[in-house]
Amino acid sequence: MNHYLSHSCRKLLAPTISALIRNIGCFYSTGGGKKVFLHDFHAEKNAKFVDFAGFQMPIQYPDLSISASHRHTREHVSIFDVSHMLQTRVFGKDKIKYIESLVVSDIQGLNVNQGTLTVFTNPNGGIIDDLIVTKTEGDFLYIVSNAGCADKDLAHLQKRKDEFKSKGADLDLEVVSDRALLAIQGPGTSKVLQPLVKIDMSLLTFMTTAVTSICGVEDCRVTRCGYTGEDGTEISIPAEKSRFILESLLASKEDNVKLAGLGARDTLRLEGGLCLYGNDITDETTPIEAGLAWTIGKRRRIDGGFPGSDVILKQLKEKPTKKRVGFLSNGPCPRAGTEIMNEAGNIIGTITSGCPSPCLKQNISMGYVDNAFSKIGTSVNFLIHKKRIEGCVSKMPFVPTKYFIK
């Protein structure tokens, strides 16, 4: 593994998940930590494993280096096992009112079978976690959130559910315990999936979802989304059929399909300018500071009603004092925690993520700076090994996204 990727991934691979989801469905616990349902399959493929959020997760496979796997995803199709992610469903006639009391987005305004990225916020406007909420035709909300935040997310959801139910709300919360989650990413995704599903992939646009059969397996959810910046889908499938479906996808003759691990997933998301919770967004950063103001729906900007709305809506109107921005540089790569200075040598911010870009062949990074230094093209310096390394503020995403939007 390249040193810069091992360093980057060490930053990823820290938190543990509580006993709330220790032994359910698509993963199981052993003396060496939790394992996703497909762990043995990955081991058979000689995957290199790392600990991530208490799980043994594949970081790469022997046929490709991480940078080669990254480029393969941009050019063909890669499959990431993301079954460690927390999947939940919210039922009941008060489900939208309930979830909108926790997140900033306009869930009521979503079309049926449409989803959105949103964030849980705290009373200070900080981000508890980022998540995708989808309004399904099955009369429930389908939620996917981060494995590393699973314990606090479930506690947060349960606490508010109890508050709502104590006032007579019609509401229920279910942890999805019997389904694996695979992310199929890359320009050939639709071509690979189309012969295996009953839906017309050309009608499934970015952030929409459908339930269909995959390889003859019924009750599979296909959602057009991902964490790479490429066109792609995430498929929620019965855990007991996940190996069969994964092997069928890898056997596709429609494109060159390969397995990919967390290493490529991290560099891909950084090229796409996408946030990693715990690095680029935390409970001390607001959606406005993080450049996620677009997640706040028009109606929510008027009505508020979400935790920290007074702080967030004030920042939306008056602008925050700091802002998440991207940087380009050469030489030693700025990593999370690197101090950012202006040309006069004053500290103006901190890097939150960084790596050499496999596509751009130069360093990319993101971090927070004082608002006065957030303009694209602004020259900055990074303090690395007690030396000042030149960089400049860059637009994000670093590599243009290719989401399937009609």
Side-chain angles (χ1 to χ4, degrees), residues 117-119 127-132 144-146 275 277 281:
L117 177 73
T118 189
V119 292
I127 299 172
I128 295 172
D129 196 12
D130 59 312
L131 60 152
I132 292 178
V144 178
S145 53
N146 289 308
C275 295
Y277 191 82
I281 49 177

Side-chain angles (χ1 to χ4, degrees), residues 37-38 83 179-182 237-248:
F37 189 86
L38 285 161
S83 300
R179 303 180 76 81
L181 190 65
L182 301 178
I237 54 181
E240 71 275 9
K241 296 291 185 179
S242 57
R243 184 180 182 121
F244 166 68
I245 291 174
L246 179 53
E247 288 177 334
S248 299

Side-chain angles (χ1 to χ4, degrees), residues 185-340:
Q185 300 287 293
T189 295
S190 185
K191 186 167 61 173
V192 168
L193 268 178
Q194 188 59 79
L196 307 178
V197 300
K198 291 181 178 179
I199 58 173
D200 184 347
M201 290 296 296
S202 70
L203 301 179
L204 192 71
T205 55
F206 184 59
M207 295 307 294
T208 64
T209 189
V211 175
T212 184
S213 66
I214 301 179
C215 308
V217 178
E218 299 294 333
D219 192 30
C220 297
R221 178 172 296 282
V222 181
T223 304
R224 201 113 187 199
C225 66
Y227 194 48
T228 64
E230 291 293 327
D231 182 23
T233 65
E234 290 184 357
I235 58 173
S236 179
I237 54 181
E240 71 275 9
K241 296 291 185 179
S242 57
R243 184 180 182 121
F244 166 68
I245 291 174
L246 179 53
E247 288 177 334
S248 299
L249 289 165
L250 289 169
S252 172
K253 304 299 183 183
E254 301 298 328
D255 203 336
N256 187 6
V257 184
K258 291 186 176 292
L259 293 167
L262 290 181
R265 184 170 160 87
D266 186 35
T267 55
L268 286 160
R269 70 91 192 168
L270 186 47
E271 280 189 349
L274 303 172
C275 295
L276 171 67
Y277 191 82
N279 280 40
D280 311 301
I281 49 177
T282 70
D283 57 8
E284 294 182 354
T285 55
T286 72
I288 313 304
E289 294 167 343
L292 298 175
W294 59 269
T295 63
I296 308 171
K298 182 178 179 180
R299 178 176 61 85
R300 307 308 306 276
R301 296 180 184 212
I302 297 170
D303 298 343
F306 49 86
S309 59
D310 53 341
V311 175
I312 292 169
L313 296 180
K314 182 179 180 182
Q315 283 189 350
L316 190 61
K317 182 178 180 180
E318 300 178 0
K319 296 187 178 181
T321 57
K322 65 179 180 179
K323 184 178 179 181
R324 179 177 67 94
V325 297
F327 303 96
L328 294 175
S329 64
N330 294 301
C333 184
R335 307 293 184 178
T338 299
E339 292 180 336
I340 307 166

